[in-house]
Amino acid sequence: MISRVDLHAHSTASDGRLSPTEVARLAASRGVRLLALTDHDTTAGCAEAQRQAQASGIRLIAGVEINTDSELGEAHLLGYFAGLDHSELQAALTRIQIERAKRAQAIVEKLNTLGVAITMEQVQAQANHTVIGRPHIARALVAGGWVGSPSAAFELYIGQGRRAYIPRYVFSPQEAIGLIRNAGGVAALAHPVRSGNEQHISQLVEFGLNALEVYYFDHAPDDVARLRELAKRHGLLVTGGSDFHDLPKGGGDGRRGLGSVWVPEEDGERLWERVNGLN
Ligand code: AMP
Ligand code: MN
Ligand code: MN
Ligand code: MN
Protein backbone atom coordinates (compact mmCIF):
# COMPACT_ATOMS: atom_id res chain seq x y z
CA MET A 1 0.00 0.00 0.00
CA ILE A 2 1.49 3.33 -1.06
CA SER A 3 1.00 6.43 1.03
CA ARG A 4 1.65 9.93 -0.17
CA VAL A 5 2.29 11.25 3.32
CA ASP A 6 4.73 10.01 5.98
CA LEU A 7 5.24 12.27 8.98
CA HIS A 8 7.40 10.04 11.22
CA ALA A 9 10.82 8.80 10.10
CA HIS A 10 14.31 8.38 11.55
CA SER A 11 17.75 8.63 9.92
CA THR A 12 21.40 8.17 10.87
CA ALA A 13 21.13 11.53 12.65
CA SER A 14 19.68 9.40 15.49
CA ASP A 15 19.00 5.65 15.49
CA GLY A 16 17.90 5.11 11.90
CA ARG A 17 20.09 3.23 9.42
CA LEU A 18 19.70 5.38 6.31
CA SER A 19 21.21 8.83 5.89
CA PRO A 20 18.82 11.80 5.64
CA THR A 21 19.55 11.91 1.90
CA GLU A 22 18.70 8.23 1.52
CA VAL A 23 15.49 8.61 3.54
CA ALA A 24 14.27 11.48 1.34
CA ARG A 25 15.26 9.66 -1.85
CA LEU A 26 13.54 6.43 -0.75
CA ALA A 27 10.41 8.36 0.23
CA ALA A 28 10.23 9.97 -3.20
CA SER A 29 10.75 6.61 -4.92
CA ARG A 30 7.82 5.20 -2.93
CA GLY A 31 5.44 7.96 -3.95
CA VAL A 32 5.60 9.92 -0.69
CA ARG A 33 5.01 13.57 -1.56
CA LEU A 34 5.07 14.97 1.97
CA LEU A 35 7.70 13.65 4.36
CA ALA A 36 8.76 14.66 7.88
CA LEU A 37 12.13 13.71 9.35
CA THR A 38 11.65 13.20 13.10
CA ASP A 39 14.90 11.98 14.62
CA HIS A 40 15.20 11.41 18.36
CA ASP A 41 16.36 14.59 20.13
CA THR A 42 18.04 16.18 17.11
CA THR A 43 17.20 18.20 14.03
CA ALA A 44 20.73 17.73 12.63
CA GLY A 45 19.56 15.66 9.64
CA CYS A 46 16.85 18.03 8.46
CA ALA A 47 18.92 20.37 6.27
CA GLU A 48 20.40 17.43 4.37
CA ALA A 49 16.97 15.78 4.00
CA GLN A 50 15.58 19.11 2.80
CA ARG A 51 18.20 19.36 0.03
CA GLN A 52 17.40 15.87 -1.23
CA ALA A 53 13.64 16.42 -0.91
CA GLN A 54 13.99 19.50 -3.10
CA ALA A 55 16.10 17.59 -5.62
CA SER A 56 13.52 14.78 -5.65
CA GLY A 57 10.59 17.19 -5.99
CA ILE A 58 8.87 16.35 -2.70
CA ARG A 59 8.04 18.46 0.37
CA LEU A 60 9.82 17.99 3.68
CA ILE A 61 8.82 19.11 7.15
CA ALA A 62 11.69 19.45 9.62
CA GLY A 63 10.86 17.59 12.81
CA VAL A 64 12.05 15.95 15.99
CA GLU A 65 10.83 13.25 18.41
CA ILE A 66 11.22 14.02 22.12
CA ASN A 67 10.46 11.40 24.79
CA THR A 68 8.73 12.54 27.96
CA ASP A 69 7.55 10.96 31.17
CA SER A 70 5.07 11.95 33.86
CA GLU A 71 2.89 10.28 36.48
CA LEU A 72 0.52 9.35 33.65
CA GLY A 73 3.26 7.49 31.78
CA GLU A 74 5.46 7.98 28.74
CA ALA A 75 4.57 10.29 25.91
CA HIS A 76 6.66 10.72 22.77
CA LEU A 77 6.16 14.20 21.32
CA LEU A 78 6.76 14.98 17.68
CA GLY A 79 7.64 18.58 16.86
CA TYR A 80 7.12 19.93 13.34
CA PHE A 81 8.82 23.19 12.37
CA ALA A 82 9.03 25.80 9.64
CA GLY A 83 12.49 26.84 10.88
CA LEU A 84 15.00 25.32 13.28
CA ASP A 85 17.25 28.17 14.42
CA HIS A 86 15.56 28.63 17.77
CA SER A 87 18.14 28.88 20.55
CA GLU A 88 15.99 27.56 23.42
CA LEU A 89 14.99 24.48 21.41
CA GLN A 90 18.52 23.77 20.21
CA ALA A 91 19.98 24.26 23.71
CA ALA A 92 17.46 21.79 25.15
CA LEU A 93 18.26 19.22 22.46
CA THR A 94 21.98 19.64 23.11
CA ARG A 95 21.39 19.07 26.82
CA ILE A 96 19.50 15.87 26.20
CA GLN A 97 22.17 14.66 23.74
CA ILE A 98 24.82 15.10 26.45
CA GLU A 99 22.67 13.17 28.92
CA ARG A 100 22.28 10.38 26.35
CA ALA A 101 26.06 10.06 25.98
CA LYS A 102 26.46 9.83 29.77
CA ARG A 103 23.76 7.19 29.96
CA ALA A 104 25.37 5.13 27.17
CA GLN A 105 28.62 5.25 29.16
CA ALA A 106 26.77 4.02 32.27
CA ILE A 107 25.14 1.17 30.31
CA VAL A 108 28.54 0.13 28.93
CA GLU A 109 29.91 0.06 32.49
CA LYS A 110 26.99 -2.09 33.63
CA LEU A 111 27.59 -4.47 30.72
CA ASN A 112 31.27 -4.66 31.69
CA THR A 113 30.33 -5.70 35.23
CA LEU A 114 28.21 -8.46 33.66
CA GLY A 115 31.28 -9.71 31.81
CA VAL A 116 30.35 -8.20 28.46
CA ALA A 117 33.56 -6.47 27.45
CA ILE A 118 32.41 -3.82 25.02
CA THR A 119 33.86 -0.32 25.02
CA MET A 120 32.41 3.14 24.59
CA GLU A 121 34.59 3.50 21.49
CA GLN A 122 32.80 0.51 19.90
CA VAL A 123 29.45 2.13 20.68
CA GLN A 124 30.64 5.50 19.35
CA ALA A 125 31.71 3.78 16.13
CA GLN A 126 28.13 2.60 15.63
CA ALA A 127 26.69 6.01 16.45
CA ASN A 128 29.14 7.85 14.19
CA HIS A 129 28.99 11.17 16.08
CA THR A 130 25.21 11.33 16.06
CA VAL A 131 22.74 11.11 18.93
CA ILE A 132 23.54 7.93 20.88
CA GLY A 133 20.76 5.51 21.75
CA ARG A 134 20.39 1.94 22.87
CA PRO A 135 20.19 0.73 19.24
CA HIS A 136 23.86 1.76 18.82
CA ILE A 137 24.78 -0.26 21.91
CA ALA A 138 22.77 -3.17 20.48
CA ARG A 139 24.70 -2.93 17.20
CA ALA A 140 28.03 -2.86 19.07
CA LEU A 141 26.95 -6.01 20.95
CA VAL A 142 26.13 -7.71 17.64
CA ALA A 143 29.40 -6.55 16.05
CA GLY A 144 31.35 -7.90 19.03
CA GLY A 145 29.63 -11.28 18.77
CA TRP A 146 27.97 -10.94 22.18
CA VAL A 147 24.45 -11.41 20.80
CA GLY A 148 23.01 -12.61 17.51
CA SER A 149 20.72 -9.67 16.77
CA PRO A 150 19.80 -6.19 18.01
CA SER A 151 16.51 -7.48 19.38
CA ALA A 152 18.39 -10.15 21.36
CA ALA A 153 20.51 -7.35 22.84
CA PHE A 154 17.33 -5.67 24.08
CA GLU A 155 15.90 -8.92 25.38
CA LEU A 156 19.04 -10.04 27.18
CA TYR A 157 20.60 -6.81 28.40
CA ILE A 158 19.34 -3.34 27.55
CA GLY A 159 15.56 -3.56 27.22
CA GLN A 160 13.48 -1.95 29.94
CA GLY A 161 13.93 -3.86 33.21
CA ARG A 162 16.82 -5.99 31.86
CA ARG A 163 20.15 -6.30 33.64
CA ALA A 164 21.98 -3.47 31.91
CA TYR A 165 18.99 -1.17 31.52
CA ILE A 166 19.31 2.41 32.65
CA PRO A 167 16.45 4.85 32.10
CA ARG A 168 17.31 7.99 30.23
CA TYR A 169 16.92 11.61 31.13
CA VAL A 170 13.57 12.81 29.89
CA PHE A 171 11.64 16.04 29.87
CA SER A 172 8.20 16.41 31.32
CA PRO A 173 5.46 16.65 28.69
CA GLN A 174 4.88 20.31 29.66
CA GLU A 175 8.53 21.09 28.97
CA ALA A 176 8.60 19.29 25.62
CA ILE A 177 5.33 20.77 24.37
CA GLY A 178 6.44 24.20 25.58
CA LEU A 179 9.78 23.89 23.79
CA ILE A 180 8.10 22.87 20.54
CA ARG A 181 5.43 25.57 20.72
CA ASN A 182 7.85 28.34 21.77
CA ALA A 183 9.97 27.49 18.75
CA GLY A 184 6.91 28.07 16.55
CA GLY A 185 6.35 24.36 16.06
CA VAL A 186 3.35 22.04 16.03
CA ALA A 187 3.34 19.42 18.81
CA ALA A 188 1.89 15.98 18.02
CA LEU A 189 1.59 12.93 20.25
CA ALA A 190 3.36 9.97 18.61
CA HIS A 191 1.81 6.48 18.66
CA PRO A 192 -0.94 7.51 21.13
CA VAL A 193 -2.08 3.92 21.63
CA ARG A 194 1.10 3.36 23.66
CA SER A 195 0.44 6.43 25.77
CA GLY A 196 -2.72 4.85 26.96
CA ASN A 197 -5.81 6.47 28.17
CA GLU A 198 -7.88 9.52 27.33
CA GLN A 199 -7.07 11.16 30.66
CA HIS A 200 -3.41 11.26 29.61
CA ILE A 201 -4.27 12.77 26.24
CA SER A 202 -6.59 15.34 27.86
CA GLN A 203 -3.72 16.44 30.08
CA LEU A 204 -1.41 16.81 27.08
CA VAL A 205 -4.08 18.91 25.37
CA GLU A 206 -4.10 21.18 28.43
CA PHE A 207 -0.34 21.53 28.05
CA GLY A 208 -0.83 22.72 24.46
CA LEU A 209 -0.78 19.58 22.32
CA ASN A 210 -1.77 20.37 18.71
CA ALA A 211 -2.06 17.02 16.98
CA LEU A 212 -2.50 13.28 17.33
CA GLU A 213 -0.67 10.60 15.33
CA VAL A 214 -3.84 8.76 14.42
CA TYR A 215 -2.29 6.69 11.64
CA TYR A 216 0.62 4.48 12.71
CA PHE A 217 2.04 1.16 11.57
CA ASP A 218 0.57 -0.91 14.39
CA HIS A 219 -2.75 0.89 14.86
CA ALA A 220 -5.75 -1.35 14.22
CA PRO A 221 -8.73 0.09 12.31
CA ASP A 222 -10.70 0.55 15.54
CA ASP A 223 -7.75 2.45 17.11
CA VAL A 224 -7.77 4.77 14.11
CA ALA A 225 -11.53 5.37 14.36
CA ARG A 226 -11.35 6.03 18.10
CA LEU A 227 -8.35 8.36 17.79
CA ARG A 228 -9.88 10.31 14.89
CA GLU A 229 -12.93 10.91 17.03
CA LEU A 230 -10.76 11.93 19.99
CA ALA A 231 -8.78 14.35 17.80
CA LYS A 232 -12.02 15.89 16.58
CA ARG A 233 -13.37 16.27 20.12
CA HIS A 234 -10.21 18.07 21.25
CA GLY A 235 -9.82 20.13 18.08
CA LEU A 236 -6.51 18.45 17.24
CA LEU A 237 -4.87 18.03 13.86
CA VAL A 238 -4.50 14.46 12.59
CA THR A 239 -1.08 13.13 11.58
CA GLY A 240 0.38 9.76 10.74
CA GLY A 241 3.55 7.96 9.81
CA SER A 242 5.55 4.77 9.68
CA ASP A 243 8.22 5.38 12.38
CA PHE A 244 10.67 4.19 9.75
CA HIS A 245 14.14 3.23 11.06
CA ASP A 246 15.55 0.76 8.61
CA LEU A 247 15.06 -1.42 5.56
CA PRO A 248 13.98 -4.96 6.57
CA LYS A 249 17.26 -6.49 5.36
CA GLY A 250 19.12 -4.40 7.95
CA GLY A 251 17.23 -6.15 10.72
CA GLY A 252 14.43 -3.60 10.80
CA ASP A 253 10.75 -4.23 11.12
CA GLY A 254 9.35 -4.45 7.60
CA ARG A 255 5.97 -3.24 8.79
CA ARG A 256 7.57 0.11 9.49
CA GLY A 257 8.32 0.60 5.81
CA LEU A 258 8.77 4.21 4.75
CA GLY A 259 5.51 5.38 3.17
CA SER A 260 3.73 2.14 4.08
CA VAL A 261 1.13 3.65 6.44
CA TRP A 262 -1.87 5.15 4.75
CA VAL A 263 -2.36 8.78 5.83
CA PRO A 264 -5.07 10.94 4.23
CA GLU A 265 -3.51 13.58 1.98
CA GLU A 266 -5.83 16.28 3.34
CA ASP A 267 -4.54 15.69 6.88
CA GLY A 268 -0.97 16.03 5.65
CA GLU A 269 -1.98 19.19 3.83
CA ARG A 270 -3.52 20.68 6.98
CA LEU A 271 -0.37 19.97 8.97
CA TRP A 272 1.77 21.52 6.23
CA GLU A 273 -0.36 24.65 6.28
CA ARG A 274 -0.29 24.93 10.08
CA VAL A 275 3.47 24.41 10.25
CA ASN A 276 4.01 27.06 7.60
CA GLY A 277 1.52 29.49 9.08
CA LEU A 278 -0.87 29.25 6.14
CA ASN A 279 -4.02 28.55 8.17
P1 AMP B 1 16.76 4.94 23.59
O1 AMP B 1 16.16 6.16 22.92
O2 AMP B 1 18.24 5.02 23.67
O3 AMP B 1 16.12 4.61 24.91
O4 AMP B 1 16.45 3.71 22.63
C1 AMP B 1 15.12 3.49 22.22
C2 AMP B 1 15.11 3.08 20.75
O5 AMP B 1 15.49 1.72 20.67
C3 AMP B 1 13.73 3.17 20.14
O6 AMP B 1 13.52 4.43 19.56
C4 AMP B 1 13.77 2.07 19.10
O7 AMP B 1 14.34 2.58 17.91
C5 AMP B 1 14.74 1.04 19.68
N1 AMP B 1 14.13 -0.10 20.39
C6 AMP B 1 13.38 -0.06 21.51
N2 AMP B 1 13.04 -1.30 21.93
C7 AMP B 1 13.60 -2.16 21.04
C8 AMP B 1 13.62 -3.60 20.91
N3 AMP B 1 13.00 -4.40 21.79
N4 AMP B 1 14.30 -4.13 19.87
C9 AMP B 1 14.92 -3.33 18.98
N5 AMP B 1 14.94 -1.97 19.05
C10 AMP B 1 14.29 -1.40 20.06
MN1 MN C 1 14.19 4.85 17.55
MN1 MN D 1 8.49 6.86 19.73
MN1 MN E 1 9.93 7.33 16.34
Side-chain angles (χ1 to χ4, degrees), residues 39-44 63-66 81 84 86-100 131 171 179-180:
D39 273 303
H40 299 285
D41 304 321
T42 183
T43 59
V64 71
E65 180 173 11
I66 302 175
F81 305 95
L84 294 168
H86 189 273
S87 58
E88 187 198 1
L89 173 70
Q90 293 303 335
L93 295 180
T94 300
R95 194 165 89 228
I96 208 156
Q97 288 160 19
I98 292 167
E99 293 299 326
R100 272 180 169 280
V131 172
F171 290 114
L179 275 171
I180 293 166

Side-chain angles (χ1 to χ4, degrees), residues 179-190:
L179 275 171
I180 293 166
R181 296 287 302 266
N182 288 342
V186 171
L189 177 62

Side-chain angles (χ1 to χ4, degrees), residues 8 40 65 67 76 190-191 194 243:
H8 189 162
H40 299 285
E65 180 173 11
N67 290 20
H76 295 187
H191 38 73
R194 281 193 234 159
D243 207 356

Side-chain angles (χ1 to χ4, degrees), residues 52 186 193 243 275:
Q52 183 58 44
V186 171
V193 169
D243 207 356
V275 166

Side-chain angles (χ1 to χ4, degrees), residues 10 15 40 245:
H10 298 270
D15 60 8
H40 299 285
H245 280 74

Side-chain angles (χ1 to χ4, degrees), residues 10 44 57 68 92 111 130 154 163 197 217 221 235 260:
H10 298 270
T68 73
L111 285 166
T130 58
F154 277 84
R163 285 178 296 168
N197 55 42
F217 82 92
S260 67

